């Protein structure tokens, strides 16, 4: 199973960004209402995640305290809509009576930390390796390309489960998730960056620098990398939902962040069995997860379209 | 040793079912839920029974199977003895291939069996004592490990025997003629009739034995034979015409065919059976009904009629690693007794239908059980008292590692424990591991990788011995033993030994009760609930019964309404 | 000459990748703090019997030796145990599962129809739907239709597969009672039941993946429609329909086929989540069970097989690429 799906990314290897280029870019982006809505939503999610502990404290709820009084004799939430009330805005969790609003709110932190963290890891590894492979070529390219092939050949989810079991129990699980998901998603970034670096290598301004005696490091970081920045940024944006999805999938399979730390994936996994008797338990975390991935995808799409007019909607 | 966490391995591998019962009549004292038994309908013939299971495959090789006598393998393979489950909930050992449950001589060290007339393999060849001997012998082969192995240390010369494949035979099994088989044991063993109900004591024809394929294509001796296997998807059984009902008192062989639907999700199984549509009317679930569907069923009058719940069976408990830093102080362990929220645990398990609150070790219905409660508190615990005890003990807060298998139901229970202990100011870190890794962590090595763990224990046989010895004898620490608390108390060990050797039933029961209390005072575990297993079946399924022991349905008697 | 060298380099790389994948799989699962022999030991398990089981399973050997035995076994086959009772695993032997007591090759062959049925059906569906949607969106770019298609596409990309799958089961299976809830019926048993049981997983997978193809097709299509030769074609008075189907679409197919080949390779290696959700016993389900049981031979065998599929798919994509895009052949 692939964790990311960004092969189709089409960003032209740009010229060094100029002020006018930036203006038209923002202009184009601002016209894409769907993308702007996505961007706003992402900002809202981030703000909510940052202030989640404060918000829950103000409301007097938390995702850990059991409230068995909110359940009926069978362990299902008592009352309408999964126990929705003035006290519990999203109702309560079956079998525990914990406040679902607090769980969903605090769960955003897990999703965003893993999503962003893992993406940073994969972008870093992928960019560095892709850059070196494309720019240096030769055996470096061979090794990196085979590395990409190997990563594609490994069953990522299965390995993540195994690594989770191999890692010492004292190793922080959240960090482990970030690293593992990141390490298993760098290959497609590397592939794209390699392709672009390969193209840039033969371009005039790079050759000129080399002819003037600039070292590899200088050319790589001053000439090639800035030209790839747009690609990497867009790629990162549309990779975050993949990483969030991977965390949710792992939690769904029972190997994500350890309980009782809230996680949307785990809530969804648990809620699925409850769907017939308590549909709201699935609806709230499901919508939260769907919302952030949708917003990030819309935002990333808009970014790409703005950078690459050819694929854009209006011309 | 029934542990719910291992139930995915293979059909019916859920239970050891060794049933080394000291007292065969000991079971059956439980108050039965009426729905569990119902009035026995006559075994209707015909129809196709569907069995929905989460197991991805069925291992038919008797040498490597740990199957219960009353589940999957029992439909295809007979043994010398079988289990009869009665409508009052009791289970007894009855003759199967043999004419009786065994004749002891030489002070219980020699057991003789005579095969019935008219028992045959699926091709019509009569079963001889040689076939039984060969079946037992092959279970010693290193190529065929993994089955129930109690007999391997009991038969004379068994420890040095390595199977028949290198041409050697096990001399302690004699076959003076085609009908007679004699077992010689190292020492007297009164429960041998239960041992010969295990899969290895069936019959395997030597000329049809291929260790590579017997797993999927066994030679049938029971009412059904394996007709079709779709790897990972289904196994279909058809009638075995060579089987004669008049020779078999344990099986009714109602359905014409049986289809196992493999690899099914527990929750989807339950949903299908609640919906009760089409073929699912002729189906039952071999998996427990998950908590969510239990709640659903209880609000659905139609489905509720088709829910069968066992009596209180396994003890679910929180094991405290008595060798871990700080937890070696009995005061701290006492504090845990008060801090745990048993009510939350019960709710997390599915509420009252999932089990009754427990305060002691010996499960209800076991003779000699004397109810006691050394740490009386509300069902939700007494965190304040726990705090006081912890303060007295000078507890230095450190995170307690609660290591559990990574399946969703156990995780929910672990969270219930965590929130309970947190109220008393204890910090708990839940560590989830794949099932086999968890087993390794808690039953092997020095136990330094966990402080707390959750487990449930169904005795292998209906006696207090089965409740106490495997969990609390110091010999059961590490090396695969289930003394998960790593509890070692010389006085208790002596008491266990004394009770095991006591032949007088009442005297033994009193000793076990004494041991239970003595262990309770040391607080190595927190008894949580006596679990009840719930199963669902379709509306046309009849004679679906769960005995008190083991708390699993008897497949051999299920029949279908026309 | 050039073509030969190309093939030679590719084959070397393939072999290297497959060896590395299997070695990595061995390494990681050998590190797992669980003893596979424990499961095969039986109950009660004495330390002596545990040793016997370990020796029989070859666990007493260094994992590099175990790995090498695995590699050579693919060509020569393997036997386990002593004469008379040996378990044979004929070449191509991908190991022997001591938990399921069957050769891994047999298990893979047994599970393959399930995985292939899911993958191929879904792939055809999403290719058709995705490309069609992308073409329509490109031709009607900027309109409500384009917007609607692209929004649907983004929704598809954003939805977690298990959520869509489970909701599908609940809605179409239980509530509306339109399609079977789960389970797999072999094609040979009943082609109709086979397709009927697969409709839901096909649709779910297609819904998730078609989106990517729609976006890709749309982008490529726009690119093509704005290109020189399409403009020339239009100038010649060729109808727009013909321009789209004959000229522009050809341009689109190259990247679509590339992506399709890679995706299909991955999908054929097993879809862990989809198979779990629909209770279908394919390669993904086999892997997931193997992890729970620490069934190392099965894990290595299936991983090796899946990786081989992906590597071969990669190679085929390159070949097709060469055929379809003459520029590459030069």
């Amino acid at each position: 199973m692939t964790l990311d799906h960004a092969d189709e990314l089409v960003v032209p290897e740009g010229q060094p960004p100029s002020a006018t280029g930036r203006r038209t870019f923002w202009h184009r982006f601002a016209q894409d209402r769907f993308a702007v809505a996505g961007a706003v939503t992402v900002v809202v999610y981030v703000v909510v995640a940052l202030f989640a502990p404060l918000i829950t404290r103000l409301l007097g709820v938390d995702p850990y305290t059991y409230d068995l009084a909110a359940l009926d004799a069978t362990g299902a939430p008592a009352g309408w809509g999964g126990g929705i009330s003035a006290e519990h805005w999203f109702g309560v969790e079956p079998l525990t009576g914990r406040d679902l609003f607090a769980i969903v709110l605090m769960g955003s932190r897990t999703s965003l930390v893993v999503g962003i963290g893992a993406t940073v890891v994969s972008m870093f590894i992928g960019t560095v390796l892709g850059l070196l492979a494309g720019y240096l070529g030769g055996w470096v390219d061979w090794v990196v390309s085979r590395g990409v092939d190997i990563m594609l050949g490994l069953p990522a989810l299965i390995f993540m489960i195994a690594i989770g079991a191999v890692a010492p129990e004292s190793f922080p699980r959240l960090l482990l998730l970030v690293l593992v998901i990141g390490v298993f998603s760098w290959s497609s970034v590397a592939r794209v960056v390699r392709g672009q670096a390969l193209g840039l290598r033969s371009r005039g301004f790079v050759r000129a620098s080399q002819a003037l005696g600039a070292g590899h490091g200088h050319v790589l970081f001053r000439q090639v990398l800035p030209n790839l920045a747009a690609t990497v940024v867009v790629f990162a944006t549309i990779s975050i939902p993949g990483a969030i999805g991977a965390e949710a999938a792992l939690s769904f399979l029972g190997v994500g962040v350890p309980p009782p730390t809230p996680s949307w994936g785990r809530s969804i996994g648990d809620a699925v069995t409850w769907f017939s008797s308590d549909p709201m338990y699935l609806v709230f975390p499901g919508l939260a997860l769907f919302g952030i991935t949708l917003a990030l995808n819309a935002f990333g799409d808009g970014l790409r379209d703005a950078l690459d007019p050819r694929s854009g909607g209006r011309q | 040793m029934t542990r719910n966490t291992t139930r995915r391995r293979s059909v019916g591998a859920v239970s050891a079912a060794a049933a080394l019962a000291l007292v065969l009549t000991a079971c059956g004292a439980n108050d039965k839920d009426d729905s569990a038994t119902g009035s026995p309908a006559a075994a209707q013939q015909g129809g196709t029974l569907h069995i929905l299971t989460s197991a991805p495959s069925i291992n038919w090789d008797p040498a490597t199977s740990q199957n219960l006598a009353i589940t999957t393998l029992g439909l295809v393979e007979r043994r010398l003895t079988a289990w009869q489950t009665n409508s009052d909930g009791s289970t007894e050992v009855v003759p199967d291939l043999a004419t009786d449950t065994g004749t002891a001589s030489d002070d219980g060290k020699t057991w003789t069996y005579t095969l019935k007339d008219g028992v045959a393999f699926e091709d019509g060849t009569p079963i001889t004592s040689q076939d039984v001997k060969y079946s037992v012998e092959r279970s010693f082969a290193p190529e065929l490990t993994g089955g129930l192995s109690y007999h391997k240390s009991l038969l004379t010369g068994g420890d040095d025997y390595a199977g028949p494949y290198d041409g050697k035979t096990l001399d302690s099994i004699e076959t003076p003629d085609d009908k007679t088989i004699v077992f010689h044991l190292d020492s007297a063993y009164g429960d041998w009739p239960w041992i010969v109900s295990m899969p290895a004591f069936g019959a395997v024809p030597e000329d049809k034995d291929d260790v590579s394929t017997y797993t999927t294509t066994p030679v049938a001796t029971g009412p059904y034979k394996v007709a079709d296997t779709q790897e990972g998807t289904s196994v279909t059984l058809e009638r075995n015409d060579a089987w004669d009902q008049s020779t078999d008192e344990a099986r009714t062989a109602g359905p014409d065919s049986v289809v196992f639907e493999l690899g099914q999700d527990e929750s989807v199984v339950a949903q299908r059976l609640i919906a009760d549509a089409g073929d699912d009317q002729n189906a039952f679930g071999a998996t427990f009904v998950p908590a969510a569907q239990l709640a659903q069923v209880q609000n659905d009058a139609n489905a509720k009629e088709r829910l069968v719940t066992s009596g209180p069976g396994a003890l679910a408990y929180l094991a405290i690693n008595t060798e871990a830093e700080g937890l070696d102080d009995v005061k701290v362990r006492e504090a845990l007794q008060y801090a745990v929220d048993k009510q939350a645990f019960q709710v997390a398990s599915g509420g009252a239908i999932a089990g009754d609150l427990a305060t002691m070790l010996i499960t209800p219905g076991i003779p000699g059980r004397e109810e006691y409660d050394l740490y009386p508190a509300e069902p939700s615990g007494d965190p304040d008292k726990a705090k006081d005890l912890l303060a007295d003990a000078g507890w230095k807060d450190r995170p307690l590692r609660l290591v559990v298998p990574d399946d969703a139901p156990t995780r929910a229970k672990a969270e219930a424990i965590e929130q309970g202990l947190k109220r008393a100011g204890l910090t708990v870190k839940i560590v989830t591991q794949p099932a086999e890794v968890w087993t390794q962590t808690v039953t092997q090595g020095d136990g330094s990788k966990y402080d707390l763990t959750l487990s449930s224990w169904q005795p292998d046989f209906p006696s207090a011995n089965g409740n106490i010895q495997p969990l609390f004898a110091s010999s059961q620490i590490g090396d695969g033993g289930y003394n998960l608390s790593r509890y070692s108390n010389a006085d208790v060990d002596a008491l266990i030994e004394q009770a095991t050797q006591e032949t007088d039933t009442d005297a033994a029961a009193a000793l076990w009760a004494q041991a239970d209390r003595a262990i309770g005072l040391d607080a190595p575990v927190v008894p949580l609930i006596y679990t009840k297993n719930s199963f669902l079946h379709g509306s046309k399924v009849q004679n679906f019964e769960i005995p008190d022991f083991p708390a699993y349905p008897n497949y051999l008697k299920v029949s279908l309404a026309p | 000459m050039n073509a030969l060298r190309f093939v030679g380099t590719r084959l070397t790389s393939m072999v290297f990748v497959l060896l590395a994948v299997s070695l990595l799989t061995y390494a990681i699962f050998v590190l797992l703090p669980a003893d596979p022999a424990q499961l095969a030991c039986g109950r009660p398990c004495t330390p002596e019997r545990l040793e016997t089981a370990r020796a029989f399973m070859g666990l007493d050997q260094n994992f590099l030796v175990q790995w090498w035995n695995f590699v050579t076994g693919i060509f020569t086959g393997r036997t386990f145990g002593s004469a008379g009772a040996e378990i044979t695993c004929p070449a191509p032997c991908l190991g022997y599962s001591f938990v399921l007591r069957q050769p891994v090759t047999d298990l893979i062959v047994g599970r393959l129809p399930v995985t292939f049925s899911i993958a191929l059906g879904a792939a055809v569906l999403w290719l058709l739907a995705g490309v069609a949607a992308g073409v329509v969106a490109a031709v009607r770019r900027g309109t409500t239709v384009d917007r609607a298609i692209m929004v649907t596409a983004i929704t598809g990309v954003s939805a977690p597969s298990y959520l869509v799958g489970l909701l599908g089961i609940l809605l179409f299976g239980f509530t509306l009672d339109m399609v079977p809830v789960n389970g797999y019926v072999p094609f040979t048993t009943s082609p109709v039941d086979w397709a009927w049981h697969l409709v839901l997983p096909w649709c779910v997978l297609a819904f998730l993946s078609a989106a990517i193809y729609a976006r890709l097709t749309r982008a490529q299509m726009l690119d093509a429609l704005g290109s020189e030769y399409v403009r020339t074609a239009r100038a010649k008075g060729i109808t727009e329909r013909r321009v789209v189907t004959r000229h522009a679409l050809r341009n689109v197919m190259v990247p679509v086929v590339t992506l399709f080949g890679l995706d299909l390779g991955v999908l054929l290696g097993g879809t862990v989540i989809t198979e779990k959700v629909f209770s279908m016993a394919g390669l993904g389900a086999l892997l997931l069970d193997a992890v729970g049981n620490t069934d190392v031979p099965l894990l290595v065998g299936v991983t090796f097989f899946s990786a081989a599929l992906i590597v071969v798919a990669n190679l085929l994509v390159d070949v097709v690429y060469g055929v379809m895009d003459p520029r590459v052949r030069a």
Side-chain angles (χ1 to χ4, degrees):
Chain A
M1 150 149 200
T2 44
L3 289 172
D4 50 302
H5 231 315
D7 307 72
E8 89 273 31
L9 188 81
V10 193
V11 177
E13 52 232 33
Q15 298 295 329
S18 66
T20 39
R22 241 176 257 140
R23 255 201 306 280
T24 42
F25 165 77
W26 283 117
H27 180 69
R28 272 203 296 266
F29 183 80
Q31 288 211 326
D32 189 343
R33 269 171 298 166
F34 199 56
V36 172
V40 171
T41 312
V42 172
V43 172
V44 170
Y45 265 87
V46 171
V47 170
V48 166
L50 282 175
F51 293 101
L54 196 66
I55 300 170
T56 48
R57 201 179 312 148
L58 283 177
L59 290 171
V61 290
D62 75 82
Y64 305 115
T65 305
Y66 278 42
D67 180 8
L68 300 182
L71 306 174
D72 66 16
T74 66
W80 176 83
I84 290 177
S85 64
E87 193 189 344
H88 301 297
W89 293 4
F90 286 2
V92 296
E93 193 182 53
L95 301 184
T96 66
R98 293 184 291 201
D99 184 67
L100 195 54
F101 179 72
I103 289 175
V104 171
L105 218 58
M106 295 295 275
S108 65
R109 294 164 77 88
T110 308
S111 286
L112 287 176
V113 165
V114 174
I116 295 170
T119 304
V120 168
V121 171
S122 70
M123 287 302 134
F124 179 76
I125 303 176
T127 309
V128 169
L129 291 182
L131 206 56
L132 291 175
Y135 180 74
L136 295 176
W139 67 268
V140 179
D141 188 21
W142 192 89
V143 170
V144 172
S145 298
R146 293 301 78 75
V148 169
D149 289 347
I150 292 170
M151 292 315 283
L152 284 175
L154 295 176
L157 273 180
I158 301 298
F159 264 65
M160 290 179 191
I161 296 173
I163 292 170
V166 169
E169 144 286 305
S170 53
F171 198 93
R173 290 287 121 170
L174 205 58
L175 181 60
L176 186 71
L177 271 177
V178 166
L179 290 178
V180 166
I181 296 176
V183 165
F184 273 93
S185 5
W186 62 264
S187 52
S188 51
V189 195
R191 229 173 23 188
V192 171
V193 169
R194 173 186 170 273
Q196 300 226 342
L198 210 60
L200 285 171
R201 192 168 61 160
S202 52
R203 290 278 283 279
F205 65 99
V206 174
R207 290 211 173 161
S209 297
Q210 286 169 332
L212 289 172
H216 281 323
H218 178 86
V219 176
L220 267 178
F221 290 104
R222 289 293 162 80
Q223 308 279 349
V224 180
L225 195 57
N227 275 291
L228 294 175
T231 307
V232 174
V233 168
V234 172
F235 211 113
T237 318
I238 55 178
S239 295
I240 297 175
I244 290 177
E247 185 276 322
L250 284 172
S251 295
F252 173 71
L253 294 175
V255 288
V257 287
T261 310
S263 152
W264 292 339
R266 193 172 60 244
S267 289
I268 291 169
D270 291 345
V272 161
T273 59
W274 285 91
F275 188 77
S276 312
S277 37
D278 180 15
M280 300 317 272
Y281 182 27
L282 180 63
V283 166
F284 290 113
L287 273 183
L289 176 64
F290 180 61
I292 185 68
T293 38
L294 186 61
L296 279 163
N297 276 322
F299 176 51
D301 248 28
L303 271 187
R304 186 180 56 191
D305 288 351
L307 283 166
D308 176 17
R310 283 177 310 164
S311 63
R314 289 167 219 88
Q315 290 179 28
Chain B
M1 41 189 105
T2 301
R3 291 181 8 253
N4 300 348
T5 46
T6 57
R7 81 188 114 98
R8 285 162 184 278
R9 204 168 302 146
S10 66
V11 176
V14 263
S15 161
L20 311 170
L22 295 169
V23 191
L24 305 191
T25 51
C27 46
N30 294 0
D31 292 327
K32 285 301 290 186
D33 182 348
D34 274 345
S35 64
T37 46
S39 61
Q44 183 75 38
Q45 300 288 301
T48 299
L49 172 69
H50 291 255
I51 300 178
L52 315 179
T53 171
S54 60
S57 66
I58 299 177
N59 168 20
W60 295 105
D61 193 320
T64 59
S65 174
Q66 298 187 357
N67 228 222
L68 279 168
I70 54 169
T71 58
T72 311
L73 257 70
L75 292 169
V76 173
E77 294 161 8
R78 301 177 67 172
R79 305 99 196 258
L80 287 176
T81 60
W83 298 0
Q84 183 75 272
T85 57
N86 304 314
S87 52
D88 65 353
S90 65
T91 301
E92 56 185 330
V93 65
V94 295
D96 194 0
L97 287 174
T99 53
D100 57 23
T101 58
T103 312
S105 55
D106 189 18
D107 291 331
K109 280 159 79 173
T110 301
W111 286 83
T112 306
Y113 292 85
T114 309
L115 297 186
K116 284 176 184 159
D117 292 324
V119 291
F121 291 111
E122 60 180 88
D123 62 359
T125 318
I127 294 169
T128 67
S129 52
Q130 269 298 331
D131 298 320
V132 178
K133 179 180 183 187
Y134 181 71
S135 175
V136 179
E137 283 179 341
R138 65 198 287 284
S139 70
F140 286 85
E143 292 83 0
L144 295 172
T145 53
L148 291 173
S149 307
Y150 292 88
H151 61 282
K152 294 183 190 171
S153 335
L154 292 172
L155 284 164
T156 302
D159 286 334
D160 305 317
Y161 184 61
Y165 298 104
D166 53 5
K168 294 203 181 74
T169 60
L170 186 58
D171 297 332
S172 54
I173 308 178
E174 281 182 281
T175 52
D177 59 57
D178 279 357
K179 289 278 173 205
T180 312
I181 185 161
V182 184
F183 300 97
H184 297 281
L185 313 184
D186 275 335
S187 55
Y189 202 84
D191 298 313
W192 187 253
W194 289 89
I195 299 289
V196 298
S197 70
M198 293 182 194
F201 289 83
V204 173
E206 188 169 357
D207 55 349
K208 298 223 174 69
D209 177 25
D210 179 346
V211 291
S212 303
T213 58
Y214 212 84
T215 310
T216 47
T217 51
V219 180
T221 55
Y224 299 98
K225 58 187 176 191
V226 180
D228 180 53
T229 302
Q230 298 289 335
E231 161 57 37
T233 301
S234 66
V235 174
T236 306
L237 307 183
E238 301 283 359
R239 279 198 189 280
N240 169 18
D241 297 329
W243 173 80
D244 180 0
Q245 171 77 73
S246 67
T247 64
D248 199 329
E249 59 186 290
R251 299 168 184 81
T252 55
D256 283 337
S257 54
V258 180
V259 177
F260 289 89
E261 297 187 22
L262 306 174
Q264 304 289 312
D265 179 80
E266 284 98 336
S267 147
V268 175
V269 165
Q271 302 258 14
R272 279 171 61 177
L273 292 168
I274 291 169
D276 195 36
D279 278 350
D280 291 344
Q281 293 181 344
N282 296 320
F284 70 82
T287 56
F288 303 147
V289 181
Q293 274 65 48
L294 272 180
Q296 200 181 332
V297 169
Q298 289 175 78
N299 296 314
D300 180 335
N302 178 287
K304 201 173 179 177
E305 277 178 21
R306 293 179 285 108
L307 183 78
V308 181
T309 302
S310 73
L315 170 73
Y317 61 95
L318 174 73
I320 305 166
N321 185 346
T322 54
E323 290 175 358
E325 179 204 338
L327 299 179
D328 47 3
D329 184 346
V330 68
K331 274 243 171 59
V332 174
R333 298 200 298 270
E334 277 173 20
L336 287 176
Q337 306 280 340
Y338 290 108
V340 163
D341 184 346
K342 290 182 190 178
Q343 193 180 11
F345 182 89
Q346 185 188 32
V347 172
S349 308
I353 198 170
D356 301 335
L357 293 174
T359 59
M360 54 179 285
L361 307 172
I362 296 175
T363 45
I366 299 292
R369 181 175 188 270
E370 283 169 30
E371 181 106 34
Y372 70 88
D373 188 355
L374 292 172
Y375 311 100
E378 293 289 303
S380 60
D382 188 345
D384 292 330
K385 185 149 191 178
K387 274 184 194 161
D388 293 345
L389 282 165
L390 286 171
D392 279 358
W395 168 255
K396 293 185 294 293
D397 190 36
R398 69 172 179 96
L400 292 170
R401 296 157 299 172
L402 172 56
V403 180
V404 291
D406 61 10
D407 60 294
T410 313
R411 220 171 49 210
K413 292 170 192 167
E415 288 186 68
I417 296 296
E418 190 266 352
Q419 70 90 27
L421 297 186
K422 205 167 83 174
R423 298 173 309 168
L426 290 155
T427 316
V428 175
K429 180 176 169 190
I430 299 172
V431 180
T432 57
Q433 299 181 333
E436 283 313 311
V437 177
W438 172 79
T439 309
Q440 187 83 3
T441 305
V442 298
T443 68
Q444 301 284 338
D446 61 359
S448 60
K449 291 190 178 130
Y450 71 102
D451 298 306
L452 306 169
T453 189
L454 283 171
S455 183
S456 71
W457 189 262
Q458 161 126 6
D460 272 349
F461 43 95
S463 149
N465 190 348
N467 281 110
I468 306 277
Q469 192 271 345
L471 303 189
F472 301 104
S474 60
S475 61
Q476 300 300 311
I477 300 175
D479 281 333
Y482 272 83
N483 185 341
L484 305 183
S485 304
R486 297 181 175 261
Y487 172 69
S488 175
N489 179 334
D491 294 341
V492 168
D493 278 343
L495 210 48
I496 289 175
E497 200 180 329
Q498 194 188 343
T500 307
Q501 287 169 354
E502 179 58 62
T503 46
D504 180 70
T505 327
D506 293 336
L511 283 168
W512 286 121
Q514 199 186 330
D516 188 336
R517 224 185 159 85
I519 297 164
L521 285 167
D522 284 335
V525 301
V526 184
L528 298 167
I529 59 172
Y530 304 114
T531 62
K532 299 176 185 171
N533 299 341
S534 290
F535 297 85
L536 268 169
H537 62 81
S539 54
K540 288 186 176 167
V541 172
Q542 297 176 332
N543 297 309
F544 186 84
E545 296 182 354
I546 304 178
D548 287 340
F549 171 85
Y552 289 90
N554 184 352
Y555 294 12
L556 311 184
K557 288 191 162 178
V558 172
S559 62
L560 297 170
Chain C
M1 242 346 261
N2 252 344
L4 262 182
R5 206 168 61 207
F6 174 75
V7 171
T9 335
R10 287 305 302 242
L11 284 179
T12 322
S13 303
M14 277 173 65
V15 171
F16 174 81
V17 167
L18 290 180
L19 289 180
V21 164
S22 55
L23 184 60
L24 267 174
T25 315
Y26 254 112
I28 196 83
F29 285 100
V30 159
L31 285 176
L32 214 62
D35 187 354
Q38 193 74 41
L39 253 178
C41 177
R43 199 171 52 226
C45 173
T46 59
E48 299 81 51
R49 272 204 282 278
L50 190 63
E51 266 326 298
T52 317
R54 211 169 267 149
F56 171 56
M57 294 169 73
L59 292 170
D60 48 350
Q61 288 162 317
N62 180 297
F63 90 92
L64 280 173
V65 178
Q66 292 184 42
W67 171 70
W68 185 246
N69 287 341
F70 167 80
V71 173
T72 50
I74 297 172
F75 303 100
T76 61
R78 296 170 75 178
T79 55
F80 301 88
S82 55
E86 76 251 322
I87 291 162
T88 52
C89 175
C93 174
L94 292 175
Y96 184 86
S97 164
F98 295 98
V99 177
L100 299 176
R101 300 209 164 258
Q102 283 185 68
V104 174
T105 315
D106 290 3
L107 287 166
I108 290 176
V109 169
R111 300 288 180 110
L112 220 48
V114 181
T115 293
F116 274 29
S117 299
I118 299 175
L120 290 174
V124 168
L125 209 58
W126 88 50
L127 187 66
L128 292 179
V131 171
V135 169
V136 170
V139 172
R140 301 271 176 92
R141 74 172 170 285
T143 65
T144 326
V145 178
D146 175 24
R147 222 59 190 142
I149 289 178
M150 284 303 106
V151 170
T152 315
I154 279 208
T155 315
V157 177
S158 308
S161 60
Y162 54 89
L163 190 54
V164 178
L166 291 159
L167 284 177
I169 293 182
L170 291 163
L171 185 61
F172 297 106
F174 285 116
T175 312
L176 300 176
D177 201 15
M178 284 163 61
V179 290
V181 176
N182 66 347
Y184 171 81
V185 178
F187 185 79
T188 47
T189 309
S190 158
V192 175
D193 275 349
W194 169 80
W196 197 225
H197 276 81
L198 283 163
V199 165
L200 209 48
W202 282 345
C203 290
V204 167
L205 275 177
F207 175 65
L208 301 173
S209 296
I212 291 154
Y213 287 78
R215 285 161 66 175
L216 177 62
T217 307
R218 180 175 174 278
Q220 293 291 319
M221 200 73 190
L222 286 175
D223 203 13
L225 288 176
S227 71
E228 201 64 41
Y229 72 97
V230 167
R231 257 180 265 152
T232 318
R234 279 199 190 117
K236 281 187 192 159
I238 298 173
T239 61
E240 187 67 17
R241 174 182 291 267
R242 221 177 136 79
V243 168
V244 170
T245 52
R246 286 293 166 83
H247 298 271
L249 206 52
R250 194 180 152 82
N251 186 44
V252 171
M253 286 329 280
V254 176
V256 168
V257 166
T258 309
L259 182 60
F260 185 70
L262 297 174
D263 276 352
L264 194 60
V266 171
L267 210 54
L268 291 179
T271 47
V272 176
I273 300 269
T274 310
E275 288 173 17
K276 181 179 164 64
V277 166
F278 290 98
S279 296
M280 291 202 172
L283 292 177
L286 196 59
L287 271 180
L288 205 56
D289 285 338
V291 178
N293 290 331
T294 50
D295 190 345
V296 182
L298 186 55
L299 283 164
V300 176
V302 176
T303 304
F304 182 87
F305 178 78
S306 306
L309 280 178
I310 292 168
V311 173
V312 170
N314 259 317
L315 186 71
L316 287 181
V317 162
D318 282 357
V319 171
V320 173
Y321 204 81
V323 174
M324 288 183 56
D325 190 348
R327 283 171 300 182
V328 179
R329 253 183 301 181

